[in-house]
């Protein structure tokens, strides 16, 4: 029996030993091989990478067994950051691949990011995988696939050194960087490339350790950035960089110890890109500051707001031909001179390239953006099976409120592409269900502190009512 809830919007994820085990991984490998052959009949080669979690090695071994039983030749790239698994598909021209990773989730979790062709699959494609497993609808291939090991870390390292080592020249500003890999996989790669770029690197928790003994590898939670902030300040560094467990999310600290969120990084990167690619499409997720979208437009770009979720963003980038996309949570996707997937290591190199070329620090690069008051991501616990109903009820409530026009707050617009992003007079609030955790995520931004509090309490109150709606099972008509 497989629990439905592990097949999520853009990956497959669950508690190890409870939702997913080696057996599941074996069948997932078979199911993936089946779907790969169905959708790409001449597909022969795929890669499998894994993160540092204690269960990842076994899960990867069993996935590979499943894949070779379907006649797929597997390139085993071993322990590496998620972006290096993406990189392997381009570098080795593969037909797809699987990354075994629990990303930033609690240690008891693990999961899988699946790619067919060069695209990570989501939504319906993930449901196809579920169906194939449930129906055991695979036809074993007469010949077993081969397994070959490949050192992707060296290949990626060489690629990045070729691209960025020119910055080690005397003419560029020296930069001191603190790197906090949170004992995830980023430490395997990033520090060496930074040194080749002529940076002075201070290492923090760069040894991979799947128990995450120092802090949890999730740089979106300020608590996890405490050490990085302290050391960046103490050492007088220009920038502090943290990564999530599989290095597809970045967390940045400026020289004064302030957190520079993903959407602010987008401003720095988009300004640089728009100088060279005028009119380019740039995507921000629904959690991003309004300042990002305004800044992109002001600099001649085409700003697009889209759903949160790495596979969804990558898909939208292709549709729009976007050169850059980013999520507030630190997934940064660069298709300008690169492959367009979320690679927090590559984003680091590009940021430092900008700092070196302009000679400016992060604060100076962001000095002219309007000052806004905002919250980080606020997570409210919510059982998996309640999330959808609560958010739907909330969206409906906000729409009703807006239409009635009788309340004390003016709602100017509601974007319902992913939960509700409610635009008020002086700011906005977002309520959406998390695709990765049993929680509802909120975020707020406003021109002044008073409005921020007002918008937050309004939506928190509406969410409570939506919870009651969902629990009563009475739908949203009851209001
Ligand atoms: Zn991640």
């Amino acid at each position: 029996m497989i629990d439905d809830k592990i097949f999520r919007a853009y990956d497959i994820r669950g508690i190890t030993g409870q939702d997913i085990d080696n057996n599941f991984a074996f069948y997932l490998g078979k199911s993936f091989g089946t779907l790969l052959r169905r959708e790409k009949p001449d597909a022969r080669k795929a890669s499998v990478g894994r993160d540092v979690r204690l269960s990842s090695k076994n899960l990867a071994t069993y996935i590979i067994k499943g894949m070779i039983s379907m006649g797929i030749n597997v390139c085993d790239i071993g322990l590496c950051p998620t972006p290096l698994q993406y990189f392997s598909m381009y570098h080795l021209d593969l037909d797809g691949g699987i990354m075994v990773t629990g990303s930033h989730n609690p240690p008891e979790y693990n999961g899988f990011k699946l790619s067919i062709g060069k695209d990570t699959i989501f939504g319906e494609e993930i449901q196809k995988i579920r169906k194939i497993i449930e129906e055991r609808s695979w036809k074993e291939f007469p010949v077993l696939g081969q397994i070959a090991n490949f050192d992707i870390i060296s290949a990626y390292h060489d690629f990045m050194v070729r691209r960025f080592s020119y910055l080690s020249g005397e003419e560029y500003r020296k930069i001191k960087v603190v790197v906090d890999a949170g004992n995830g996989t980023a430490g395997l790669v990033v520090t060496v490339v930074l040194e080749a770029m002529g940076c002075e690197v201070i290492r923090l928790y760069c040894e991979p350790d799947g128990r995450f003994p120092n802090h949890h590898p999730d740089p979106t939670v300020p608590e996890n950035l405490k050490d990085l902030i302290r050391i960046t300040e103490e050492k007088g560094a220009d920038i502090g960089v943290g990564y999530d467990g599989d290095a597809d999310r970045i967390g940045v600290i400026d020289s004064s110890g302030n957190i520079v969120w993903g959407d602010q990084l987008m401003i720095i990167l988009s300004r640089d890109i728009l100088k060279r690619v005028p009119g380019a499409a740039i995507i921000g997720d629904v959690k991003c500051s309004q300042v990002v979208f305004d800044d992109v437009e002001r600099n001649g770009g085409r700003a697009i707001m889209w759903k949160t979720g790495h596979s969804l963003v990558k898909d939208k980038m292709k549709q729009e031909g976007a050169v850059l996309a980013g999520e507030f949570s630190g997934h940064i996707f660069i298709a300008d001179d690169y492959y367009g997937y979320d690679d927090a290591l590559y984003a680091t190199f590009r940021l430092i390239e900008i700092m070196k070329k302009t000679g400016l620090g992060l604060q100076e690069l962001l000095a002219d953006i309007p000052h806004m008051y905002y919250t980080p991501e606020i997570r409210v616990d919510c059982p998996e099976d309640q999330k959808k109903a609560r958010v739907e009820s909330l969206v409906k409530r906000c729409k009703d409120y807006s239409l009635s026009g009788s309340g004390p707050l003016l709602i100017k617009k509601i974007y319902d592409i992913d939960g509700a992003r409610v635009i008020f007079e002086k700011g906005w609030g977002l309520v959406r269900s998390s695709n990765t955790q049993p929680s509802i995520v909120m975020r707020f931004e406003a021109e002044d502190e008073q409005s921020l509090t007002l918008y937050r309490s309004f939506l928190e109150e509406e969410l409570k009512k939506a919870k009651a709606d969902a629990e009563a099972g009475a739908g949203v008509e009851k209001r």
Side-chain angles (χ1 to χ4, degrees), residues 247-267:
D248 57 1
R249 285 176 168 200
I250 189 173
V252 171
I253 305 301
D254 71 18
S255 57
S256 304
N258 305 304
I259 299 173
V260 186
W261 294 101
D263 50 358
Q264 293 167 311
L265 299 176
M266 287 282 292
I267 294 175

Side-chain angles (χ1 to χ4, degrees), residues 82 101 103-104 113 244-249 331:
T82 292
T101 178
S103 188
H104 58 284
K113 288 172 178 161
D244 80 332
D246 65 330
D248 57 1
R249 285 176 168 200
H331 286 272

Side-chain angles (χ1 to χ4, degrees), residues 386 388-398 400 461-479:
Q386 289 268 315
K388 195 165 176 265
R390 276 190 213 177
V391 171
E392 275 173 7
S393 167
L394 180 112
V395 173
K396 173 88 165 55
R397 282 186 169 278
C398 290
D400 288 349
E461 206 45 50
E462 289 302 306
L463 185 62
K464 272 185 206 152
K465 293 178 199 161
K467 177 176 183 251
D469 291 342
E471 279 170 357
V476 291
E477 302 305 322
K478 216 178 111 197
R479 184 170 177 238

Side-chain angles (χ1 to χ4, degrees), residues 119-147:
D119 306 322
T120 44
I121 64 169
F122 61 94
E124 236 165 76
E125 293 282 289
I126 287 181
Q127 292 309 315
K128 284 185 197 166
I129 292 277
R130 179 181 64 84
K131 204 154 170 266
I132 296 169
I133 296 186
E134 280 173 0
E135 294 172 357
R136 302 265 197 277
S137 56
W138 42 69
K139 243 211 320 264
E140 246 112 283
F141 208 70
V143 187
L144 275 189
Q146 307 275 316
I147 306 171

Side-chain angles (χ1 to χ4, degrees), residues 170 176 185 197 218 279 421 455:
E170 287 290 315
K176 197 192 271 191
T185 49
M197 292 170 76
D218 181 358
R421 175 156 163 152
Y455 302 153

Side-chain angles (χ1 to χ4, degrees), residues 207-327:
E207 295 301 312
D209 185 338
R211 296 165 302 163
F212 308 123
N214 293 294
H215 63 74
H216 193 64
D218 181 358
T220 56
V221 180
E223 170 74 19
N224 298 328
L225 293 168
K226 273 192 340 208
D227 293 351
L228 181 61
I229 291 172
R230 183 172 52 82
I231 301 293
T232 302
E233 280 189 288
E234 266 176 31
K235 301 281 180 184
D238 301 287
I239 177 172
V241 197
Y243 302 97
D244 80 332
D246 65 330
D248 57 1
R249 285 176 168 200
I250 189 173
V252 171
I253 305 301
D254 71 18
S255 57
S256 304
N258 305 304
I259 299 173
V260 186
W261 294 101
D263 50 358
Q264 293 167 311
L265 299 176
M266 287 282 292
I267 294 175
I268 298 175
L269 292 164
S270 66
R271 284 178 176 182
D272 173 59
I273 292 173
L274 285 168
K275 271 186 234 151
R276 280 174 287 108
V277 197
I282 291 178
I283 299 171
D285 79 328
V286 287
K287 287 185 223 167
C288 283
S289 166
Q290 187 56 42
V291 176
V292 176
F293 302 103
D294 294 347
D295 199 81
V296 166
E297 296 281 336
R298 197 174 311 114
N299 287 288
R302 184 160 62 89
I304 299 163
M305 189 189 292
W306 195 238
K307 298 173 193 182
T308 297
H310 68 97
S311 312
L312 311 177
V313 171
K314 276 175 273 197
D315 183 57
K316 186 71 174 168
M317 275 182 94
K318 280 209 165 156
Q319 284 174 31
E320 302 282 352
V323 292
L324 172 69
E327 298 185 18

